Amino acid sequence: MNVNEITIKHCNNISFAKIQFSYNCLNIKFAANGTGKSTIAKAIYGKANNSDLSDLRSFGSDDTPDVTTDYPLGKVYIFDEDFVNSIVFRESEVIQNAFEIFIKTPSYDNQVNKVNSRLQALKIDIGKDVEILSLFNTFSELSTKIQLNKDGGIKNNPFFKSIISKHHLNRIPENLQKYKPFFETEYKIEWIDWKNKGYGYDDKGECPFCAEPLIPEYEQEKETFTSIYTKSNAKNIMELLGYFKALEVYIAPEKFKLLNDCIGSISDEIQIRTIIQQFMTDINHMREKIGEIINFDTHRITSEEITDLENKLTRLKINVDVLNMLRGNKTITIIGKINQKIDSVIKEINAVKQEIGSLKGLIQALADEAIKDINGFLETAGINYAMVMEVTSESDCKTLLKYKDRLNNIHEVDQIKKHLSWGERNAFALVLFLHYALSQNADLIILDDPISSFDTDKKYAIINRLFKNSGRKRSLYKETVLMITHDLEPIIDFIVINKPTGSYVNAYHLQNKNGILSEKKIVKEDMLSQIHILLSIVKDTSINEIYRLIALRKFIELTKTNFEEECAYNIISCILHAKQKPDKKIESGEFAELSGEEINSGTNLIISQIPTFSYERILQNLLTPGYLAATYKAETCNYFKLQLFRILLEIDKNKSKIQDDNLLKYIDSTYHTENNYQYNLDFRKFDTIPDFVIGKCDNFINENYPEA
């Protein structure tokens, strides 16, 4: 896929157009004003963005605008007034999203990925340790059973009341000692529940199970049993004993005995509270520490946090010395494992800091490079402003504008658009657009007549910056670019002089005839020096003498250095104005006849180039209204037609019949525009005259010279 062909239908003054662009190079489309250059840009941009093209509908037509392409266009960005109004120069900001445009380069992304990889690796990574996770879950469950108040005391919830009860599974009242074997069974909880339910069936004074008479002590036993033993109380005691058993290896042996005694031999409530409170303080401390470490691993660490991260990690380490009861060998081993992991993460922080330092250095280097680039361009283009970039973080920055006065004093600029001239604004915006389009990874970049309004120095400064293959600075070199222009200078620069790139450039001439737009490729051989074009016309004996004289006159005008050439120039000028005798201008509006010597000298030079030249013959036979009108109608080269039209208006004195000032202005100015360039397109091959101009000339000739 090297070339993409685009077909445009029914868009403004374009009924049908088929143009193409090559990928990874600059595609220059050269055309006169009125050809439909901006329409092409808008149509392609609209197609790429799936926009409604109805705004491009031709006036007076019901045909639907349509654009088709051989291949998808991808992301298309266009430099136009919308870009200037919406992206750049908003209040005091030079360009929006400056960080994305200037800093977020592949090298930046690569360094950010390195930093993020390092940051993501800063994990203590205990959340996947089965033993630690199980221990954390046990601590968490137990902390919901036995809860501490804010002052550290134990809440008197039902669970803890079961522990401090005077009688429970391990402390059986005297009158219920005979049931001890049942309290010691595996099914004791179910048995207690069963027995309590059985009391509901003793109203006959007989045992509901064996039907034997109830013993005298039955009522007292029943009262004692129901007041002490419930399924939930028994379950609480069993759960607590289960927690003790599960945590035995984590508890210091002597402390484990104390905990068991709280359920057995110790009956003093204050003592029980003191022991359980110490135990739960350790449990909560370990639970909170392990929880913080697990949460640390789930938190996304940012580079901004790295400065305090070492202190934060140090605070996460667990100090065995603060524990009272959880000081078993297993606890000490786990704490050692956790602290060792934390220490390894702390060591890694220095490597992360180095990567972050490299990132910050890269950001500043990219910012400095962008500032140097843009300010260098502004200086080259003679724009006395400078851009300043303030990097506010590793992911944001803002761009401000400063003004440099004659003494190089710097002044802040607010409301930028009000201070920049139109030329300064557009030249500056073009270079900003370069960075913007490249930052967006554009597939196609469109420049709609970007430099035509600038003077020659600024034109080259802009073109050079946009396309120069520097190897260091961002540029549009080898990018897919469509530049539509009515300015011939870029073609001279790129195609003839091979500057600034020397390659990867295609140029085309666009012509719109009655709505049908076609293009013709321009190669270096098509760009001839003005002298070469004129001389080749002078030497061409197959074309009309009038064209040869016009060319010779222009050739002498550009090259004359002696008396003979000056005389020849005056003779040709006079004959093209249909003067009966050749003369020369003395002062403004005053003329004097040429001397015999001047006529002979000038005529000899003309005959040396055009041997058939005869002043009288040409004046009488060729420079007549009828002959000129007929020749005009038969001519196919629009440039020659325009020259004939101008001569005809002059000799027939009917210029006043043309009421179209724009047409007159074009005819007069076009007659001299070829002087603007050292090189030009050969107008015999490339029709550079706008169709609407020739159309008006044709209408005038047909109306005024119908018989010709």
Side-chain angles (χ1 to χ4, degrees), residues 416-447:
I416 296 172
K417 284 183 181 177
K418 291 184 178 181
H419 294 279
L420 293 175
S421 68
W422 186 93
E424 290 171 335
R425 186 192 70 164
N426 276 31
F428 193 179
L430 261 170
V431 177
L432 294 173
F433 176 77
L434 155 72
H435 288 273
Y436 175 79
L438 292 179
S439 72
Q440 302 302 309
N441 295 315
D443 296 298
L444 174 63
I445 296 169
I446 300 177
L447 304 176

PDB file of all heavy atoms in Angstrom, residues 416-447:
ATOM      1  N   ILE A 416      -2.952  35.806  24.519  1.00  0.00           N
ATOM      2  CA  ILE A 416      -1.935  35.724  23.463  1.00  0.00           C
ATOM      3  C   ILE A 416      -2.449  36.203  22.113  1.00  0.00           C
ATOM      4  O   ILE A 416      -1.755  36.928  21.389  1.00  0.00           O
ATOM      5  CB  ILE A 416      -1.415  34.275  23.362  1.00  0.00           C
ATOM      6  CG1 ILE A 416      -0.712  33.884  24.675  1.00  0.00           C
ATOM      7  CG2 ILE A 416      -0.463  34.110  22.187  1.00  0.00           C
ATOM      8  CD1 ILE A 416      -0.326  32.427  24.756  1.00  0.00           C
ATOM      9  N   LYS A 417      -3.663  35.814  21.753  1.00  0.00           N
ATOM     10  CA  LYS A 417      -4.170  36.144  20.416  1.00  0.00           C
ATOM     11  C   LYS A 417      -4.224  37.649  20.171  1.00  0.00           C
ATOM     12  O   LYS A 417      -4.102  38.102  19.039  1.00  0.00           O
ATOM     13  CB  LYS A 417      -5.564  35.540  20.230  1.00  0.00           C
ATOM     14  CG  LYS A 417      -5.548  34.048  19.974  1.00  0.00           C
ATOM     15  CD  LYS A 417      -6.941  33.525  19.720  1.00  0.00           C
ATOM     16  CE  LYS A 417      -6.910  32.017  19.495  1.00  0.00           C
ATOM     17  NZ  LYS A 417      -8.257  31.459  19.306  1.00  0.00           N
ATOM     18  N   LYS A 418      -4.414  38.421  21.232  1.00  0.00           N
ATOM     19  CA  LYS A 418      -4.513  39.869  21.067  1.00  0.00           C
ATOM     20  C   LYS A 418      -3.156  40.501  20.777  1.00  0.00           C
ATOM     21  O   LYS A 418      -3.078  41.609  20.246  1.00  0.00           O
ATOM     22  CB  LYS A 418      -5.126  40.503  22.326  1.00  0.00           C
ATOM     23  CG  LYS A 418      -6.597  40.162  22.521  1.00  0.00           C
ATOM     24  CD  LYS A 418      -7.159  40.905  23.715  1.00  0.00           C
ATOM     25  CE  LYS A 418      -8.642  40.610  23.893  1.00  0.00           C
ATOM     26  NZ  LYS A 418      -9.211  41.346  25.048  1.00  0.00           N
ATOM     27  N   HIS A 419      -2.089  39.810  21.149  1.00  0.00           N
ATOM     28  CA  HIS A 419      -0.752  40.394  20.999  1.00  0.00           C
ATOM     29  C   HIS A 419      -0.048  39.953  19.716  1.00  0.00           C
ATOM     30  O   HIS A 419       0.745  40.709  19.154  1.00  0.00           O
ATOM     31  CB  HIS A 419       0.104  40.037  22.216  1.00  0.00           C
ATOM     32  CG  HIS A 419      -0.384  40.663  23.492  1.00  0.00           C
ATOM     33  ND1 HIS A 419      -0.094  41.961  23.840  1.00  0.00           N
ATOM     34  CD2 HIS A 419      -1.164  40.170  24.486  1.00  0.00           C
ATOM     35  CE1 HIS A 419      -0.665  42.242  25.006  1.00  0.00           C
ATOM     36  NE2 HIS A 419      -1.317  41.160  25.416  1.00  0.00           N
ATOM     37  N   LEU A 420      -0.311  38.724  19.269  1.00  0.00           N
ATOM     38  CA  LEU A 420       0.362  38.236  18.069  1.00  0.00           C
ATOM     39  C   LEU A 420      -0.306  38.800  16.818  1.00  0.00           C
ATOM     40  O   LEU A 420      -1.535  38.848  16.725  1.00  0.00           O
ATOM     41  CB  LEU A 420       0.305  36.710  18.011  1.00  0.00           C
ATOM     42  CG  LEU A 420       1.087  35.932  19.076  1.00  0.00           C
ATOM     43  CD1 LEU A 420       0.814  34.444  18.943  1.00  0.00           C
ATOM     44  CD2 LEU A 420       2.579  36.195  18.967  1.00  0.00           C
ATOM     45  N   SER A 421       0.511  39.197  15.859  1.00  0.00           N
ATOM     46  CA  SER A 421      -0.047  39.605  14.570  1.00  0.00           C
ATOM     47  C   SER A 421      -0.543  38.355  13.844  1.00  0.00           C
ATOM     48  O   SER A 421      -0.231  37.225  14.231  1.00  0.00           O
ATOM     49  CB  SER A 421       1.015  40.306  13.719  1.00  0.00           C
ATOM     50  OG  SER A 421       2.015  39.377  13.314  1.00  0.00           O
ATOM     51  N   TRP A 422      -1.296  38.570  12.757  1.00  0.00           N
ATOM     52  CA  TRP A 422      -1.824  37.426  12.019  1.00  0.00           C
ATOM     53  C   TRP A 422      -0.689  36.539  11.520  1.00  0.00           C
ATOM     54  O   TRP A 422      -0.740  35.312  11.652  1.00  0.00           O
ATOM     55  CB  TRP A 422      -2.652  37.924  10.831  1.00  0.00           C
ATOM     56  CG  TRP A 422      -3.348  36.820  10.108  1.00  0.00           C
ATOM     57  CD1 TRP A 422      -4.601  36.351  10.315  1.00  0.00           C
ATOM     58  CD2 TRP A 422      -2.794  36.023   9.036  1.00  0.00           C
ATOM     59  NE1 TRP A 422      -4.883  35.315   9.464  1.00  0.00           N
ATOM     60  CE2 TRP A 422      -3.787  35.076   8.648  1.00  0.00           C
ATOM     61  CE3 TRP A 422      -1.581  36.012   8.371  1.00  0.00           C
ATOM     62  CZ2 TRP A 422      -3.592  34.155   7.640  1.00  0.00           C
ATOM     63  CZ3 TRP A 422      -1.378  35.080   7.358  1.00  0.00           C
ATOM     64  CH2 TRP A 422      -2.375  34.160   6.998  1.00  0.00           C
ATOM     65  N   GLY A 423       0.354  37.145  10.963  1.00  0.00           N
ATOM     66  CA  GLY A 423       1.471  36.367  10.444  1.00  0.00           C
ATOM     67  C   GLY A 423       2.215  35.631  11.543  1.00  0.00           C
ATOM     68  O   GLY A 423       2.586  34.466  11.399  1.00  0.00           O
ATOM     69  N   GLU A 424       2.463  36.331  12.667  1.00  0.00           N
ATOM     70  CA  GLU A 424       3.153  35.703  13.796  1.00  0.00           C
ATOM     71  C   GLU A 424       2.337  34.531  14.334  1.00  0.00           C
ATOM     72  O   GLU A 424       2.879  33.461  14.623  1.00  0.00           O
ATOM     73  CB  GLU A 424       3.376  36.731  14.903  1.00  0.00           C
ATOM     74  CG  GLU A 424       4.401  37.794  14.558  1.00  0.00           C
ATOM     75  CD  GLU A 424       4.442  38.909  15.584  1.00  0.00           C
ATOM     76  OE1 GLU A 424       3.417  39.136  16.274  1.00  0.00           O
ATOM     77  OE2 GLU A 424       5.483  39.580  15.700  1.00  0.00           O
ATOM     78  N   ARG A 425       1.044  34.748  14.443  1.00  0.00           N
ATOM     79  CA  ARG A 425       0.167  33.715  14.990  1.00  0.00           C
ATOM     80  C   ARG A 425       0.188  32.460  14.117  1.00  0.00           C
ATOM     81  O   ARG A 425       0.344  31.348  14.603  1.00  0.00           O
ATOM     82  CB  ARG A 425      -1.258  34.255  15.088  1.00  0.00           C
ATOM     83  CG  ARG A 425      -2.228  33.323  15.782  1.00  0.00           C
ATOM     84  CD  ARG A 425      -3.656  33.776  15.596  1.00  0.00           C
ATOM     85  NE  ARG A 425      -4.066  33.589  14.195  1.00  0.00           N
ATOM     86  CZ  ARG A 425      -5.338  33.612  13.799  1.00  0.00           C
ATOM     87  NH1 ARG A 425      -6.294  33.856  14.664  1.00  0.00           N
ATOM     88  NH2 ARG A 425      -5.642  33.422  12.539  1.00  0.00           N
ATOM     89  N   ASN A 426       0.059  32.640  12.792  1.00  0.00           N
ATOM     90  CA  ASN A 426      -0.015  31.481  11.912  1.00  0.00           C
ATOM     91  C   ASN A 426       1.325  30.771  11.764  1.00  0.00           C
ATOM     92  O   ASN A 426       1.378  29.538  11.687  1.00  0.00           O
ATOM     93  CB  ASN A 426      -0.555  31.901  10.541  1.00  0.00           C
ATOM     94  CG  ASN A 426      -2.066  31.953  10.537  1.00  0.00           C
ATOM     95  OD1 ASN A 426      -2.676  32.236  11.560  1.00  0.00           O
ATOM     96  ND2 ASN A 426      -2.668  31.677   9.402  1.00  0.00           N
ATOM     97  N   ALA A 427       2.408  31.538  11.717  1.00  0.00           N
ATOM     98  CA  ALA A 427       3.731  30.909  11.626  1.00  0.00           C
ATOM     99  C   ALA A 427       4.019  30.099  12.893  1.00  0.00           C
ATOM    100  O   ALA A 427       4.488  28.954  12.824  1.00  0.00           O
ATOM    101  CB  ALA A 427       4.796  31.980  11.424  1.00  0.00           C
ATOM    102  N   PHE A 428       3.734  30.690  14.033  1.00  0.00           N
ATOM    103  CA  PHE A 428       3.926  30.020  15.322  1.00  0.00           C
ATOM    104  C   PHE A 428       3.031  28.783  15.401  1.00  0.00           C
ATOM    105  O   PHE A 428       3.461  27.681  15.787  1.00  0.00           O
ATOM    106  CB  PHE A 428       3.598  31.014  16.432  1.00  0.00           C
ATOM    107  CG  PHE A 428       4.044  30.590  17.813  1.00  0.00           C
ATOM    108  CD1 PHE A 428       3.819  31.425  18.894  1.00  0.00           C
ATOM    109  CD2 PHE A 428       4.675  29.383  18.039  1.00  0.00           C
ATOM    110  CE1 PHE A 428       4.212  31.068  20.165  1.00  0.00           C
ATOM    111  CE2 PHE A 428       5.077  29.011  19.307  1.00  0.00           C
ATOM    112  CZ  PHE A 428       4.837  29.852  20.368  1.00  0.00           C
ATOM    113  N   ALA A 429       1.759  28.957  14.992  1.00  0.00           N
ATOM    114  CA  ALA A 429       0.797  27.858  15.080  1.00  0.00           C
ATOM    115  C   ALA A 429       1.202  26.680  14.198  1.00  0.00           C
ATOM    116  O   ALA A 429       0.960  25.516  14.550  1.00  0.00           O
ATOM    117  CB  ALA A 429      -0.592  28.352  14.688  1.00  0.00           C
ATOM    118  N   LEU A 430       1.828  26.954  13.060  1.00  0.00           N
ATOM    119  CA  LEU A 430       2.252  25.873  12.169  1.00  0.00           C
ATOM    120  C   LEU A 430       3.271  24.955  12.841  1.00  0.00           C
ATOM    121  O   LEU A 430       3.199  23.731  12.731  1.00  0.00           O
ATOM    122  CB  LEU A 430       2.849  26.462  10.891  1.00  0.00           C
ATOM    123  CG  LEU A 430       1.933  26.529   9.677  1.00  0.00           C
ATOM    124  CD1 LEU A 430       2.580  27.362   8.574  1.00  0.00           C
ATOM    125  CD2 LEU A 430       1.591  25.141   9.165  1.00  0.00           C
ATOM    126  N   VAL A 431       4.226  25.555  13.530  1.00  0.00           N
ATOM    127  CA  VAL A 431       5.240  24.737  14.200  1.00  0.00           C
ATOM    128  C   VAL A 431       4.630  23.988  15.383  1.00  0.00           C
ATOM    129  O   VAL A 431       4.981  22.839  15.654  1.00  0.00           O
ATOM    130  CB  VAL A 431       6.430  25.613  14.650  1.00  0.00           C
ATOM    131  CG1 VAL A 431       7.448  24.789  15.412  1.00  0.00           C
ATOM    132  CG2 VAL A 431       7.092  26.243  13.429  1.00  0.00           C
ATOM    133  N   LEU A 432       3.693  24.626  16.064  1.00  0.00           N
ATOM    134  CA  LEU A 432       2.985  23.932  17.141  1.00  0.00           C
ATOM    135  C   LEU A 432       2.171  22.772  16.577  1.00  0.00           C
ATOM    136  O   LEU A 432       2.096  21.692  17.180  1.00  0.00           O
ATOM    137  CB  LEU A 432       2.065  24.908  17.887  1.00  0.00           C
ATOM    138  CG  LEU A 432       2.761  26.023  18.680  1.00  0.00           C
ATOM    139  CD1 LEU A 432       1.738  27.007  19.217  1.00  0.00           C
ATOM    140  CD2 LEU A 432       3.600  25.451  19.821  1.00  0.00           C
ATOM    141  N   PHE A 433       1.557  22.996  15.416  1.00  0.00           N
ATOM    142  CA  PHE A 433       0.782  21.938  14.774  1.00  0.00           C
ATOM    143  C   PHE A 433       1.664  20.751  14.412  1.00  0.00           C
ATOM    144  O   PHE A 433       1.238  19.589  14.513  1.00  0.00           O
ATOM    145  CB  PHE A 433       0.099  22.483  13.519  1.00  0.00           C
ATOM    146  CG  PHE A 433      -0.644  21.433  12.735  1.00  0.00           C
ATOM    147  CD1 PHE A 433      -1.878  20.973  13.162  1.00  0.00           C
ATOM    148  CD2 PHE A 433      -0.097  20.903  11.581  1.00  0.00           C
ATOM    149  CE1 PHE A 433      -2.560  19.994  12.440  1.00  0.00           C
ATOM    150  CE2 PHE A 433      -0.770  19.923  10.858  1.00  0.00           C
ATOM    151  CZ  PHE A 433      -2.005  19.474  11.291  1.00  0.00           C
ATOM    152  N   LEU A 434       2.883  21.027  13.984  1.00  0.00           N
ATOM    153  CA  LEU A 434       3.830  19.959  13.689  1.00  0.00           C
ATOM    154  C   LEU A 434       3.954  19.025  14.891  1.00  0.00           C
ATOM    155  O   LEU A 434       3.805  17.794  14.773  1.00  0.00           O
ATOM    156  CB  LEU A 434       5.190  20.557  13.332  1.00  0.00           C
ATOM    157  CG  LEU A 434       6.440  19.689  13.556  1.00  0.00           C
ATOM    158  CD1 LEU A 434       6.495  18.584  12.526  1.00  0.00           C
ATOM    159  CD2 LEU A 434       7.704  20.518  13.508  1.00  0.00           C
ATOM    160  N   HIS A 435       4.225  19.587  16.053  1.00  0.00           N
ATOM    161  CA  HIS A 435       4.374  18.772  17.262  1.00  0.00           C
ATOM    162  C   HIS A 435       3.062  18.093  17.628  1.00  0.00           C
ATOM    163  O   HIS A 435       3.041  16.928  18.058  1.00  0.00           O
ATOM    164  CB  HIS A 435       4.853  19.650  18.423  1.00  0.00           C
ATOM    165  CG  HIS A 435       6.283  20.079  18.302  1.00  0.00           C
ATOM    166  ND1 HIS A 435       7.330  19.316  18.773  1.00  0.00           N
ATOM    167  CD2 HIS A 435       6.842  21.186  17.749  1.00  0.00           C
ATOM    168  CE1 HIS A 435       8.477  19.936  18.526  1.00  0.00           C
ATOM    169  NE2 HIS A 435       8.201  21.073  17.909  1.00  0.00           N
ATOM    170  N   TYR A 436       1.971  18.821  17.467  1.00  0.00           N
ATOM    171  CA  TYR A 436       0.655  18.283  17.825  1.00  0.00           C
ATOM    172  C   TYR A 436       0.317  17.071  16.970  1.00  0.00           C
ATOM    173  O   TYR A 436      -0.058  16.013  17.492  1.00  0.00           O
ATOM    174  CB  TYR A 436      -0.409  19.373  17.658  1.00  0.00           C
ATOM    175  CG  TYR A 436      -1.824  18.894  17.880  1.00  0.00           C
ATOM    176  CD1 TYR A 436      -2.322  18.710  19.166  1.00  0.00           C
ATOM    177  CD2 TYR A 436      -2.664  18.635  16.800  1.00  0.00           C
ATOM    178  CE1 TYR A 436      -3.614  18.272  19.367  1.00  0.00           C
ATOM    179  CE2 TYR A 436      -3.960  18.197  16.995  1.00  0.00           C
ATOM    180  CZ  TYR A 436      -4.432  18.022  18.280  1.00  0.00           C
ATOM    181  OH  TYR A 436      -5.711  17.579  18.476  1.00  0.00           O
ATOM    182  N   ALA A 437       0.431  17.200  15.651  1.00  0.00           N
ATOM    183  CA  ALA A 437       0.061  16.113  14.745  1.00  0.00           C
ATOM    184  C   ALA A 437       0.929  14.879  14.979  1.00  0.00           C
ATOM    185  O   ALA A 437       0.436  13.744  14.973  1.00  0.00           O
ATOM    186  CB  ALA A 437       0.169  16.582  13.295  1.00  0.00           C
ATOM    187  N   LEU A 438       2.222  15.095  15.201  1.00  0.00           N
ATOM    188  CA  LEU A 438       3.118  13.957  15.435  1.00  0.00           C
ATOM    189  C   LEU A 438       2.807  13.280  16.766  1.00  0.00           C
ATOM    190  O   LEU A 438       2.893  12.054  16.878  1.00  0.00           O
ATOM    191  CB  LEU A 438       4.576  14.417  15.391  1.00  0.00           C
ATOM    192  CG  LEU A 438       5.089  14.876  14.017  1.00  0.00           C
ATOM    193  CD1 LEU A 438       6.533  15.338  14.114  1.00  0.00           C
ATOM    194  CD2 LEU A 438       4.958  13.763  12.984  1.00  0.00           C
ATOM    195  N   SER A 439       2.439  14.069  17.771  1.00  0.00           N
ATOM    196  CA  SER A 439       2.111  13.480  19.075  1.00  0.00           C
ATOM    197  C   SER A 439       0.844  12.633  19.002  1.00  0.00           C
ATOM    198  O   SER A 439       0.661  11.718  19.806  1.00  0.00           O
ATOM    199  CB  SER A 439       1.935  14.579  20.123  1.00  0.00           C
ATOM    200  OG  SER A 439       0.731  15.300  19.912  1.00  0.00           O
ATOM    201  N   GLN A 440      -0.030  12.938  18.028  1.00  0.00           N
ATOM    202  CA  GLN A 440      -1.267  12.180  17.868  1.00  0.00           C
ATOM    203  C   GLN A 440      -1.094  10.972  16.952  1.00  0.00           C
ATOM    204  O   GLN A 440      -2.057  10.260  16.665  1.00  0.00           O
ATOM    205  CB  GLN A 440      -2.361  13.089  17.290  1.00  0.00           C
ATOM    206  CG  GLN A 440      -2.658  14.324  18.112  1.00  0.00           C
ATOM    207  CD  GLN A 440      -3.088  13.995  19.522  1.00  0.00           C
ATOM    208  OE1 GLN A 440      -3.991  13.194  19.734  1.00  0.00           O
ATOM    209  NE2 GLN A 440      -2.454  14.611  20.500  1.00  0.00           N
ATOM    210  N   ASN A 441       0.126  10.750  16.471  1.00  0.00           N
ATOM    211  CA  ASN A 441       0.412   9.640  15.550  1.00  0.00           C
ATOM    212  C   ASN A 441      -0.508   9.687  14.336  1.00  0.00           C
ATOM    213  O   ASN A 441      -1.165   8.695  13.972  1.00  0.00           O
ATOM    214  CB  ASN A 441       0.272   8.288  16.264  1.00  0.00           C
ATOM    215  CG  ASN A 441       1.290   8.105  17.359  1.00  0.00           C
ATOM    216  OD1 ASN A 441       2.463   8.392  17.172  1.00  0.00           O
ATOM    217  ND2 ASN A 441       0.849   7.644  18.522  1.00  0.00           N
ATOM    218  N   ALA A 442      -0.561  10.859  13.706  1.00  0.00           N
ATOM    219  CA  ALA A 442      -1.437  11.058  12.554  1.00  0.00           C
ATOM    220  C   ALA A 442      -1.038  10.136  11.404  1.00  0.00           C
ATOM    221  O   ALA A 442       0.139   9.939  11.132  1.00  0.00           O
ATOM    222  CB  ALA A 442      -1.377  12.513  12.108  1.00  0.00           C
ATOM    223  N   ASP A 443      -2.046   9.585  10.729  1.00  0.00           N
ATOM    224  CA  ASP A 443      -1.803   8.777   9.534  1.00  0.00           C
ATOM    225  C   ASP A 443      -1.682   9.664   8.296  1.00  0.00           C
ATOM    226  O   ASP A 443      -0.974   9.312   7.351  1.00  0.00           O
ATOM    227  CB  ASP A 443      -2.937   7.771   9.340  1.00  0.00           C
ATOM    228  CG  ASP A 443      -3.006   6.761  10.473  1.00  0.00           C
ATOM    229  OD1 ASP A 443      -2.023   6.021  10.646  1.00  0.00           O
ATOM    230  OD2 ASP A 443      -4.023   6.720  11.181  1.00  0.00           O
ATOM    231  N   LEU A 444      -2.387  10.791   8.308  1.00  0.00           N
ATOM    232  CA  LEU A 444      -2.320  11.747   7.209  1.00  0.00           C
ATOM    233  C   LEU A 444      -2.410  13.151   7.782  1.00  0.00           C
ATOM    234  O   LEU A 444      -3.296  13.447   8.593  1.00  0.00           O
ATOM    235  CB  LEU A 444      -3.467  11.518   6.215  1.00  0.00           C
ATOM    236  CG  LEU A 444      -3.612  12.552   5.085  1.00  0.00           C
ATOM    237  CD1 LEU A 444      -2.368  12.547   4.192  1.00  0.00           C
ATOM    238  CD2 LEU A 444      -4.865  12.278   4.263  1.00  0.00           C
ATOM    239  N   ILE A 445      -1.490  14.014   7.362  1.00  0.00           N
ATOM    240  CA  ILE A 445      -1.451  15.405   7.823  1.00  0.00           C
ATOM    241  C   ILE A 445      -1.734  16.296   6.621  1.00  0.00           C
ATOM    242  O   ILE A 445      -1.072  16.180   5.589  1.00  0.00           O
ATOM    243  CB  ILE A 445      -0.085  15.740   8.438  1.00  0.00           C
ATOM    244  CG1 ILE A 445       0.152  14.881   9.692  1.00  0.00           C
ATOM    245  CG2 ILE A 445       0.010  17.224   8.786  1.00  0.00           C
ATOM    246  CD1 ILE A 445       1.570  14.941  10.221  1.00  0.00           C
ATOM    247  N   ILE A 446      -2.724  17.178   6.773  1.00  0.00           N
ATOM    248  CA  ILE A 446      -3.104  18.069   5.674  1.00  0.00           C
ATOM    249  C   ILE A 446      -2.722  19.504   6.035  1.00  0.00           C
ATOM    250  O   ILE A 446      -3.072  20.000   7.110  1.00  0.00           O
ATOM    251  CB  ILE A 446      -4.618  17.991   5.395  1.00  0.00           C
ATOM    252  CG1 ILE A 446      -5.025  16.561   5.022  1.00  0.00           C
ATOM    253  CG2 ILE A 446      -5.005  18.951   4.273  1.00  0.00           C
ATOM    254  CD1 ILE A 446      -6.515  16.383   4.810  1.00  0.00           C
ATOM    255  N   LEU A 447      -2.004  20.146   5.132  1.00  0.00           N
ATOM    256  CA  LEU A 447      -1.646  21.555   5.282  1.00  0.00           C
ATOM    257  C   LEU A 447      -2.327  22.309   4.144  1.00  0.00           C
ATOM    258  O   LEU A 447      -1.968  22.150   2.978  1.00  0.00           O
ATOM    259  CB  LEU A 447      -0.126  21.738   5.206  1.00  0.00           C
ATOM    260  CG  LEU A 447       0.715  20.931   6.210  1.00  0.00           C
ATOM    261  CD1 LEU A 447       2.198  21.135   5.938  1.00  0.00           C
ATOM    262  CD2 LEU A 447       0.383  21.329   7.636  1.00  0.00           C
TER     263      LEU A 447
END
